[in-house]
Amino acid sequence: MNLKKVLWATAILGLLICGFISYQIYSAIFSPNTQFNNDEAYVYIASDATFSDVKASLEPLLKDLSTFEAVAKRKGYMTNIKAGKYALKKGMNNNEIINTLRSANIPVQVSFNNQESVALLAGRISEQIEADSLSLLQTFNDSNFLKETKFDDDTKLAMYIPNTYEFFWNTDAESFRDRMKTEYDRFWNEERLQKAEDLGLSPNEVTALAAVVQKETAKVDERPRVAGVYLNRIRRGMLLQADPTVIYAIKKETGNYDTIIKRVLFRDLEMDSPYNTYKYAGVPPGPITMPDISSIDAVLNPEKHDYLYFVADVSNFGYHMFAKTLAQHNRNKVQYTRWLNQQKVMR
């Protein structure tokens, strides 16, 4: 009888121990293990991250890092880390967290607009994906890529069409650049290519002219009219004489793209730069900024008119006064010059 009691006691104790161990395992795997108050928390895991890096990222978000580590070991995650951006939901357990980190890399929306150089673009993009600005800049400037794609140092900015694109956060520099080339090719479809050909311009020339239009007016509805002015001047063999190209020439020469110039002076017009459209005919050798799609399409679909000149309209800021003759333009210009002097805008 005593032996039976011992055996029963041992069996019951064993069951209790197994039950306790099972509970501990179940608890480690399936009990909620988050400690943030928001509905979601985002985790960024770099391409070269170790499990220690992952733990450091998760430490502020989890109640018990040790149980996470135990489950990660059981599920083989410690040696199979995936880079990316992941969304952890409030109340997730360790099993759900690891499954998320394994297979739920979420895309990010990457946006950029009117950058004036690939260096500025690299800085902008590096704030949104894993690739750093140096690797991006080196990739943008890769001579072999530029040669293969028929871009050069002046035209390379034209390949990047301002918009919002979907990427995975862990995108590297080369993948980003190659995707932008794909988007560029998609943008320049047969219809746009035909319109450029009808204007006697290449896609790069269209973009270069659109960049001038972009700088001249922030009003989308006015861009086709401004584009029409410049195309009229080109057809007549006139110089574009666009102040933004002179400003860009100054920035390019100094390397300081943060320079603010509100008034172009007569001495600036003598600057010997292919971007100075007061001295050199035709469109600039490359874009002076990344033009919006609306500016590119304004050049491809210009307003048809006889205007050859325009100047800022101080009675309707943001818009311009247009003229067909130089005499009319000079009369229009008086109001703008007077306003600049009143505001003491000397540079």
Side-chain angles (χ1 to χ4, degrees):
M1 291 296 293
N2 288 335
L3 180 60
K4 286 184 178 180
K5 288 180 179 180
V6 170
L7 291 173
W8 274 107
T10 302
I12 291 170
L13 181 61
L15 288 172
L16 290 173
I17 292 172
C18 290
F20 178 76
I21 293 172
S22 298
Y23 173 78
Q24 291 293 96
I25 294 172
Y26 180 90
S27 180
I29 296 175
F30 298 110
S31 293
N33 192 28
T34 62
Q35 65 174 358
F36 49 86
N37 294 321
N38 295 335
D39 291 336
E40 285 186 331
Y42 294 105
V43 178
Y44 295 85
I45 298 178
S47 296
D48 59 352
T50 64
F51 186 66
S52 294
D53 296 324
V54 174
K55 287 196 299 180
S57 297
L58 292 175
E59 187 172 8
L61 305 175
L62 303 187
K63 292 178 183 177
D64 189 339
L65 202 58
S66 63
T67 59
F68 168 79
E69 184 170 359
V71 177
K73 185 176 182 179
R74 287 176 62 87
K75 291 175 71 71
Y77 174 73
M78 297 173 71
T79 55
N80 191 26
I81 295 167
K82 306 289 188 182
K85 176 184 178 182
Y86 301 93
L88 303 186
K89 299 186 183 302
K90 184 178 180 180
M92 271 186 166
N93 58 49
N94 287 323
N95 189 59
E96 292 169 328
I97 291 170
I98 291 167
N99 288 344
T100 295
L101 297 179
R102 271 181 164 172
S103 59
N105 190 6
I106 60 176
V108 296
Q109 301 298 309
V110 176
S111 300
F112 59 91
N113 50 14
N114 316 117
Q115 309 300 318
E116 294 183 358
S117 70
V118 290
L120 292 173
L121 174 63
R124 179 79 179 93
I125 299 306
S126 68
E127 297 171 351
Q128 302 175 75
I129 62 174
E130 183 182 11
D132 62 77
S133 57
L134 181 59
S135 64
L136 285 162
L137 183 58
Q138 291 173 337
T139 303
F140 295 164
N141 287 327
D142 181 68
S143 58
N144 291 328
F145 174 82
L146 293 176
K147 184 176 180 181
E148 289 170 6
T149 53
K150 297 182 172 55
F151 288 99
D152 58 33
D153 193 55
D154 288 310
T155 61
K156 61 191 176 187
L157 200 62
M159 197 187 84
Y160 302 92
I161 309 292
N163 212 330
T164 298
Y165 302 94
E166 192 171 88
F167 284 90
F168 286 114
W169 174 79
N170 53 304
T171 298
D172 62 29
E174 188 171 314
S175 297
F176 174 82
R177 181 203 62 193
D178 293 348
R179 165 75 181 282
M180 288 297 95
K181 177 59 168 65
T182 299
E183 296 293 341
Y184 173 87
D185 293 337
R186 183 179 293 121
F187 176 82
W188 282 102
N189 54 32
E190 289 186 12
E191 181 182 1
R192 285 193 174 101
L193 288 172
Q194 185 59 56
K195 287 181 177 180
E197 184 178 338
D198 292 343
L199 292 172
L201 300 174
S202 69
N204 283 340
E205 289 173 326
V206 169
T207 302
L209 187 57
V212 179
V213 172
Q214 176 81 33
K215 284 291 189 179
E216 289 285 16
T217 180
K219 302 296 184 181
V220 174
D221 60 327
E222 193 184 50
R223 286 173 180 168
R225 177 167 291 191
V226 172
V229 170
Y230 285 127
L231 288 167
N232 285 345
R233 294 179 75 89
I234 289 172
R235 291 189 193 100
R236 297 193 182 198
M238 300 171 66
L239 294 171
L240 293 187
Q241 295 184 327
D243 286 0
T245 65
V246 179
I247 294 171
Y248 178 81
I250 295 170
K251 292 180 178 182
K252 187 174 176 64
E253 182 175 87
T254 61
N256 183 5
Y257 289 90
D258 293 327
T259 301
I260 297 176
I261 299 175
K262 296 182 178 180
R263 187 171 189 172
V264 173
L265 307 177
F266 284 114
R267 69 169 182 265
D268 298 330
L269 305 184
E270 297 304 316
M271 184 177 185
D272 189 17
S273 166
Y275 286 90
N276 181 357
T277 56
Y278 281 84
K279 289 180 71 74
Y280 290 87
V283 301
I288 61 175
T289 189
M290 290 179 196
D292 291 344
I293 291 174
S294 62
S295 293
I296 298 174
D297 283 341
V299 173
L300 294 175
N301 304 279
E303 182 179 309
K304 296 191 179 350
H305 53 63
D306 296 322
Y307 295 128
L308 294 170
Y309 309 90
F310 62 93
V311 67
D313 184 353
V314 298
S315 65
N316 189 13
F317 280 104
Y319 287 94
H320 295 78
M321 301 174 70
F322 294 81
K324 297 178 181 179
T325 67
L326 181 59
Q328 182 184 3
H329 173 64
N330 286 336
R331 288 194 296 271
N332 291 342
K333 195 165 70 170
V334 169
Q335 50 91 41
Y336 181 58
T337 303
R338 183 185 299 119
W339 181 83
L340 286 176
N341 293 334
Q342 289 172 348
Q343 301 300 313
K344 294 183 170 43
V345 178
M346 301 301 166
R347 189 58 168 157

